Structure formats: structure tokens, C-alpha cells
Amino acid sequence: MDGSDLIGIREMRAAFGVTARALRHYEAKGLIAPLRVGEKRLYGRRDRARLTLILRGRRFGFGLEEIAELLALYDLGDGQATQLSLTLARAQERRAALEEQRADLDAVIAELDAQIETVRDMLARAPQETSPTAAAN
Amino acid sequence: MDGSDLIGIREMRAAFGVTARALRHYEAKGLIAPLRVGEKRLYGRRDRARLTLILRGRRFGFGLEEIAELLALYDLGDGQATQLSLTLARAQERRAALEEQRADLDAVIAELDAQIETVRDMLARAPQETSPTAAAN
DNA sequence: AGTACGTTAACGCAGCGTAATTGTGA
DNA sequence: CTCACAATTACGCTGCGTTAACGTAC
């Protein structure tokens, strides 16, 4: 009851849409640990479950190191309240950070709009005094 | 009529809130070119004007290289229509990119919220079945 | 023997942070 | 002599992309 249906790196790429390089990188960082048959890597259920979490974490903006922490938690407490609440805490911190990013982004867009307006005005106010340089290809 | 009231690197740090390292970095990239008195750098009006544009550009998400292009434009056509419209074009491209970032960010936040909900549910549904492992220091 | 896929280094990139070491003038 | 500030290398960091140079199995 634990065949774990192993798959190769190729199938992993296809299944998750990641490059082999990324997979090896995650492995080098200790986030996943596929079996080895000679030189070749074989990924099992566990690896796939972890990769899912890794990719989710990346989308949320977690760094690989922080993701490693969370994965370690999942190993220790298997669905236990302690790890869940810590995960929740991390997620909320991230959410706050993302919210801040969004605010900054909005501000930057607004500022950029203002700048664009200014440039447009300048173009509208003096669009004819162009030197020979402007006509050249 | 061109004293340009030169200031040192210390004053620059204070005036713009950037580190000396950043200033030297911009210089190494050819974005600014302070005078030299022996080894010491002296920044004039021109440098300050450029730094202002550099920092604005950075806030907008432009890379240093792209900023260098824009600065070059300001040098060539001094307020001319050609450079203004090119600047406008760049700015609009940037705006679009920022807008995309914002959309992605919103999606990520929404997904994270969903995940947070899930974890909350798990915590609410089974908050007592903690093993000895959880109590240990 | 060719080809298709896999493996291990190891450098590249962006934008500085962060030492480490060495002037230099007061 | 000794501060205090400045300057010059030059490596570190993040998350992989991208050659380069070799196995290996078919």
C-alpha cells in the first residue's frame, strides 16, 4: 500500500510546469528529496505533495527558506493544531506584506499617471519646435 | 552663474535618503558623474537633478539601464518633442506592466485568503486532538 | 554511431548590502 | 597619534536561466 507510483523528472516537468533546473534547485535547497536509481531521480507522492506546497508558497511570495520551515512543520505535526496555527500566522504576515505591496503599487501607478499627464501637456503645448534631428530616420 | 553649489556624498545621502553605496553604484553604471577633488566626490546641480529622476524611475520599476536611456534623452533633446514622446511611450509601457502586476497581486491575495480560510476551518474543526509531541518544550 | 534525455558544475543577472582594507585631512 | 569620513575592491544574496562538458540507454 505504498507503491507511491514513482515518476521521472520529465513527468514532473509536465505535471507541474516547472523546469528540471528548478526541481534540482529545490532539491539542492533540501525542499524535496527524490529517490535515486543510479543517477536518475524518481519522484514519489511525497515529493509531489511537497512541490505543490512549494509552488503555492512561491506564488504567495514566500522565500524558499521560509517554505522549508513550513514543510518541516508539516512533517513533524501531521495536521496538528500547533503547525496549523503557525502556518496561519505566516500566511497572515504574508497577506499583510502583499497588501502593503499593493498599496505601494497603487501609489506608484498614480504618480506615474501624474507624470504621464505632465509629459502630455508639454507635448501639447510645444509640438512644433523640432529640429532637423527629429525628421531623420 | 554656474556655481552649481557642490555638495559632498554625505549631504547627498541626507538629501535623498540613499546610501553612499547606491550613489557609487549609480556612478559605476554611468548614471551620474560627480566631480572629483582628489579622491572625494562632489555632486552638483546636474547630478542632483539626475538622481531625482533615477529615484523616480526606480519607484516606477524601471531598471537602471532603462533609466540611463531616458537620462541620455534628456541630455540630447532638451525638452524636445522627440524625446518627450519616447519618454511618454516608455512610461505607458511601464504603466501597463504595473497594472498587470497589480492584477496578479490581487489574484494572489485572493488565493491566499482562500487558503487562510481553509486553515481556519481545519483549526476550528479539530483543535483538541494534540499528541504528547505538542506539549513537549 | 547517432540521438534523446539526464547529470553535475558553475557562471550570469539586478541592485545594491556589507565587510575588509587603505588613504587622507584635521 | 588618532578620529572620522571617504574611497576602492570584491564577495554575498535570491531564484533560478543558461551554457558547458559528460554519461547512458536505446
Side-chain angles (χ1 to χ4, degrees), chain A residues 83-136:
Chain A
Q83 61 104 331
L84 280 179
S85 49
L86 216 161
T87 299
L88 182 59
R90 296 284 202 232
Q92 287 171 332
E93 286 171 26
R94 261 283 92 201
R95 206 209 115 92
L98 290 174
E99 199 83 74
E100 239 199 86
Q101 267 193 56
R102 208 180 78 102
D104 291 352
L105 202 48
D106 281 349
V108 165
I109 290 177
E111 196 189 337
L112 185 50
D113 278 348
Q115 294 284 327
I116 289 177
E117 261 309 298
T118 302
V119 176
R120 274 204 181 117
D121 281 3
M122 294 177 71
L123 276 171
R125 219 168 296 285
Q128 71 290 347
E129 46 174 316
T130 312
S131 307
T133 351

Side-chain angles (χ1 to χ4, degrees), chain A:
Chain A
M1 204 174 272
D2 194 47
S4 282
D5 52 326
L6 303 168
I7 64 180
I9 201 169
R10 163 171 301 283
E11 289 88 344
M12 284 293 274
R13 308 216 294 121
F16 292 91
V18 295
T19 65
R21 179 64 175 93
L23 289 172
R24 289 192 271 254
H25 185 60
Y26 297 148
E27 184 180 345
K29 292 290 181 177
L31 301 189
I32 48 181
L35 291 178
R36 293 297 189 118
V37 172
E39 264 196 329
K40 276 69 193 291
R41 282 166 241 258
L42 284 180
Y43 301 85
R45 280 188 207 278
R46 174 191 172 75
D47 297 308
R48 277 168 276 161
R50 294 188 135 231
L51 183 54
T52 300
L53 292 175
I54 292 169
L55 297 179
R56 209 203 309 286
R58 292 290 303 127
R59 279 202 305 280
F60 292 161
F62 285 100
L64 293 186
E65 196 167 355
E66 196 161 11
I67 291 175
E69 274 185 64
L70 295 178
L71 287 175
L73 287 179
Y74 287 119
D75 275 357
L76 292 180
D78 190 38
Q80 246 51 210
T82 33
Q83 61 104 331
L84 280 179
S85 49
L86 216 161
T87 299
L88 182 59
R90 296 284 202 232
Q92 287 171 332
E93 286 171 26
R94 261 283 92 201
R95 206 209 115 92
L98 290 174
E99 199 83 74
E100 239 199 86
Q101 267 193 56
R102 208 180 78 102
D104 291 352
L105 202 48
D106 281 349
V108 165
I109 290 177
E111 196 189 337
L112 185 50
D113 278 348
Q115 294 284 327
I116 289 177
E117 261 309 298
T118 302
V119 176
R120 274 204 181 117
D121 281 3
M122 294 177 71
L123 276 171
R125 219 168 296 285
Q128 71 290 347
E129 46 174 316
T130 312
S131 307
T133 351
N137 186 346

Side-chain angles (χ1 to χ4, degrees), chain B residues 35-105:
Chain B
L35 292 177
R36 294 297 189 119
V37 173
E39 266 194 330
K40 276 70 194 289
R41 283 164 238 261
L42 284 180
Y43 302 84
R45 281 188 208 277
R46 175 189 171 77
D47 298 307
R48 275 168 278 162
R50 294 188 134 232
L51 183 55
T52 299
L53 291 176
I54 292 170
L55 297 178
R56 209 204 308 286
R58 293 288 303 127
R59 278 203 305 281
F60 293 161
F62 287 100
L64 293 184
E65 196 167 354
E66 197 160 9
I67 291 174
E69 275 187 63
L70 295 177
L71 286 175
L73 287 179
Y74 287 120
D75 274 356
L76 291 179
D78 191 38
Q80 242 53 208
T82 33
Q83 61 105 331
L84 278 179
S85 49
L86 216 161
T87 299
L88 182 58
R90 297 284 203 231
Q92 285 170 334
E93 287 171 25
R94 262 285 92 202
R95 206 208 114 93
L98 290 174
E99 199 84 73
E100 240 199 85
Q101 269 192 53
R102 208 180 78 101
D104 292 352
L105 202 49

Side-chain angles (χ1 to χ4, degrees), chain B residues 9-10 13 21 24 36 39-41:
Chain B
I9 200 171
R10 164 171 302 285
R13 308 215 293 121
R21 179 62 174 95
R24 289 192 271 255
R36 294 297 189 119
E39 266 194 330
K40 276 70 194 289
R41 283 164 238 261

